[in-house]
């Protein structure tokens, strides 16, 4: 039934499915009407998420400084 560590094959987490790694240097030809940059894989999505998180961090910092400035000015 289940594989043991001594047997060959890949074992993943018993509940979570295995996520395939993105292919290196994959050439994507956009279909007609497709948005440029669409379908570049998980790495592109992760980079966009990290960029958005950096912007959110900067905005939170500015808001906190603005509130502290308003409190100190009173």
């Amino acid at each position: 039934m289940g594989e043991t560590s001594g047997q060959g094959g890949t074992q993943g987490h018993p509940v979570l499915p295995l996520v395939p790694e993105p292919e290196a240097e994959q050439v994507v030809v956009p279909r007609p009407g497709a948005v440029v940059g669409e379908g570049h894989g998980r790495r592109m999505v992760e980079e966009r998420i990290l960029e958005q998180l950096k912007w959110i961090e900067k905005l939170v910092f500015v808001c906190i400084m603005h509130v502290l400035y308003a409190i100190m000015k009173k």
Side-chain angles (χ1 to χ4, degrees), residues 7-56:
Q7 295 176 343
T10 59
Q11 273 188 321
H13 192 273
V15 177
L16 301 176
L18 293 175
V19 179
E21 291 296 321
E23 296 181 18
E25 299 298 322
Q26 180 180 8
V27 178
V28 177
V29 178
R31 64 183 186 277
V35 178
V36 177
E38 178 181 315
H40 283 284
R42 188 172 64 195
R43 182 174 296 148
M44 186 69 174
V45 172
E46 289 174 355
E47 289 174 4
R48 290 178 64 194
I49 290 171
L50 288 174
E51 183 179 338
Q52 290 174 355
L53 286 173
K54 287 178 185 177
W55 274 107
I56 291 171

